[in-house]
Amino acid sequence: MGSRLVVSRRHLPGYRCLIILMLIPICLTTIFNHYEKITYFLRPVWDTPPRPLTYLPHYYAENTSMGKLCRLHGWKLRKEARRVFDAIIFSNELDLLEVRWGELDPYVTKFIILESNATFTGLPKALTFASNRGRFSRFEEKIVYGFLPGKLASEGQRVSPFSVEAHHRISMNALIRSSGISDGDLLIVADADEIPSRNTIKLLQWCDGLPPVLHLDMKKYLYSFEFPTDPTWKATSHVYNQHTLYKHSRQTDLVLSDTGWHCSFCFKYLSEFVTKMTAYSHADRVKSKQHLDHSRIQEKICNGDDLYDMLPEEYTFKNLIGKMGSIPHTASAVHLPTYLIKNAEKFRFLLPGGCLRPPG
C-alpha cells in the first residue's frame, strides 16, 4: 500500500503558509506574462478617451470639376496647383512603397525618404531602399534620399524605440528643408503604409482656404486589403511654412474624412513580418520566440487574428468585447489604390484571397 502524508492540526497553518509561498511566484509569473492583456481589458476602468476630433466632409465624384469640389468644401479654386512633397521614414516596406509612389506620382513634386542602418530597437538593418533603388528608377528625378546613421544597441543594452523614432522624425525636418520646399507648398507627413488617394492630393493642391494642418482619415487594413479594421487619422497634410515640423501625433482637431488607406503589416514575405515585429516601437509585444514562428504568423494572417494576441484598444467594455476575435474578411477590391489594381497580378498578396505568404 502506498504511504500517506499525515499532517496534524497543529502543523496545518505552517503547511498553508508553505503552499502560499510556493504559489506566489506562479501567480506573479502569470500576471507578468498576461500583464498587457489585463491592462488592455481594464482600459475602460483606468483610461479616458482623448478629446473628440472634428471630421470634415470629403466630397468627390468622377468627372466633377475642381472648382465645384473646392466650393463644396467651402474653399476656392487656385489659379495653379501647389507643389506637393511626400515625406516618409522607410524601414522595409518595398511593395507598399511602390504602390504609394505609383499612386501619388502624377501629383507629387518630390518624394522625400529617410532610411537608417538600425531599427528603432537598435538592431542592425539593411539599407533596403538603397539596395533596391533601381526598382524605383522611374521616380528617380523626384527622389530626395537621406541616410541616418543608426544607434546600435550594445550587448545587454536596451535602446528606447520611441526616443530613436523621435530622433528620426527630427532628422527628417532637415531633409525636408533640403528638398527645395517653399512656403505655401503642400507637405504630406505619413508612414510608408499610410497612402493618400489621388483625388485627396489633387483636392488639397488645387484649393485655397483649407486649414494649414489637417489630419487625414484613412481606412485601415491589416495584412492586406482583405481585412478592414477601424480607420486611422495620424497622417497629416501641411501648407508648409518655416515652423512646420515632421510629427506623427495629434496636431489639430480637424480631420478630412476618407482620404486614403492605411495597410498595416502588409508584407509579401513572412520574413518581413518578423523584421517588423522585432524592429518597430512596439517590439516589446513579442513575448517569446513562438510569436516569430512562420507557421504561426501564416495562420494569423489568413485568419485575420492579431499577431501578438493583443486585445483591442477601446475605452468601453461594449466596444472592447464587440471587437474581440478575428477581423471579418471582405471580398471587395473596389475603391483601392489605382496603381494596386492596375498591377493586381504583381500584388495579388495584397488583395482578397491572397493570404498565403512565402518564407522570403
Side-chain angles (χ1 to χ4, degrees):
M1 293 179 64
S3 61
R4 291 187 301 169
L5 178 64
V6 179
V7 181
S8 66
R9 288 179 180 273
R10 65 190 179 91
H11 289 133
L12 276 175
Y15 278 102
R16 285 171 180 161
C17 290
L18 179 61
I19 291 171
I20 291 172
L21 289 172
M22 293 172 64
L23 288 175
I24 286 174
I26 297 173
C27 293
L28 290 176
T29 301
T30 302
I31 292 172
F32 176 78
N33 289 339
H34 298 281
Y35 174 76
E36 279 189 307
K37 283 189 178 181
I38 295 170
T39 55
Y40 270 58
F41 184 77
L42 295 177
R43 182 182 292 274
V45 175
W46 60 263
D47 202 1
T48 54
R51 67 181 185 275
L53 294 159
T54 300
Y55 283 79
L56 305 181
H58 183 180
Y59 302 94
Y60 173 75
E62 290 184 10
N63 303 317
T64 304
S65 70
M66 284 308 306
K68 172 86 170 185
L69 292 175
C70 289
R71 288 194 299 275
L72 284 171
H73 290 84
W75 304 331
K76 295 180 180 180
L77 182 67
R78 293 171 55 87
K79 292 183 179 179
E80 59 181 13
R82 290 185 177 89
R83 298 190 304 165
V84 179
F85 292 72
D86 179 56
I88 61 167
I89 296 171
F90 183 78
S91 177
N92 65 328
E93 311 93 339
L94 284 172
D95 293 296
L96 279 185
L97 182 66
E98 182 179 339
V99 173
R100 179 191 189 87
W101 284 4
E103 179 72 10
L104 301 183
D105 184 48
Y107 305 103
V108 167
T109 305
K110 293 291 181 182
F111 291 115
I112 306 169
I113 179 168
L114 180 68
E115 183 175 36
S116 177
N117 61 344
T119 69
F120 289 169
T121 54
L123 300 175
K125 186 184 82 68
L127 295 176
T128 306
F129 176 78
S131 301
N132 293 273
R133 190 161 177 163
R135 175 175 172 176
F136 303 91
S137 58
R138 63 186 175 280
F139 309 113
E140 184 60 43
E141 64 180 19
K142 295 185 177 182
I143 295 173
V144 178
Y145 176 79
F147 166 69
L148 178 64
K151 181 180 181 181
L152 297 175
S154 57
E155 188 174 353
Q157 180 191 28
R158 295 190 67 180
V159 172
S160 168
F162 292 102
S163 64
V164 174
E165 182 177 358
H167 177 58
H168 276 66
R169 298 193 186 282
I170 291 170
S171 300
M172 175 60 95
N173 291 318
L175 187 61
I176 291 170
R177 288 192 293 270
S178 73
S179 68
I181 197 169
S182 301
D183 287 359
D185 290 335
L186 188 71
L187 174 67
I188 302 299
V189 173
D191 287 346
D193 57 4
E194 297 170 329
I195 305 173
S197 64
R198 290 181 176 182
N199 57 279
T200 296
I201 299 301
K202 189 174 181 181
L203 177 75
L204 296 177
Q205 72 172 166
W206 272 104
C207 296
D208 257 341
L210 54 99
V213 181
L214 265 177
H215 282 294
L216 304 178
D217 168 53
M218 295 185 173
K219 297 174 183 175
K220 187 177 180 181
Y221 300 83
L222 190 63
Y223 311 139
S224 72
F225 291 97
E226 182 173 355
F227 298 101
T229 66
D230 292 338
T232 58
W233 51 266
K234 291 282 185 73
T236 46
S237 71
H238 300 256
V239 178
Y240 186 81
N241 63 64
Q242 59 181 340
H243 303 295
T244 301
L245 295 175
Y246 189 94
K247 295 181 179 179
H248 199 252
S249 56
R250 185 165 179 166
Q251 298 171 66
T252 177
D253 291 340
L254 299 178
V255 185
L256 183 62
S257 300
D258 198 4
T259 64
W261 313 268
H262 178 186
C263 200
S264 183
F265 279 89
C266 291
F267 297 112
K268 183 176 183 179
Y269 299 108
L270 295 172
S271 59
E272 294 175 304
F273 284 83
V274 173
T275 298
K276 171 96 179 216
M277 292 171 73
T278 57
Y280 86 133
S281 297
H282 294 288
D284 60 320
R285 293 177 179 175
V286 178
K287 301 301 183 185
S288 69
K289 290 184 179 180
Q290 182 188 3
H291 273 128
L292 305 177
D293 179 72
H294 279 196
S295 60
R296 178 186 177 277
I297 294 172
Q298 180 63 81
E299 183 179 1
K300 296 289 185 183
I301 296 169
C302 287
N303 290 340
D305 292 331
D306 188 88
L307 286 171
Y308 307 98
D309 298 320
M310 298 286 290
L311 294 175
E313 294 186 31
E314 293 295 337
Y315 297 93
T316 68
F317 286 112
K318 179 182 178 181
N319 289 343
L320 190 153
I321 293 171
K323 292 179 181 177
M324 284 182 176
S326 305
I327 302 169
H329 300 241
T330 179
S332 173
V334 179
H335 302 304
L336 296 182
T338 301
Y339 186 86
L340 171 63
I341 299 303
K342 286 185 175 179
N343 295 274
E345 293 77 14
K346 182 176 183 178
F347 299 110
R348 178 61 62 186
F349 67 97
L350 290 175
L351 297 170
C355 73
L356 294 178
R357 303 291 202 272

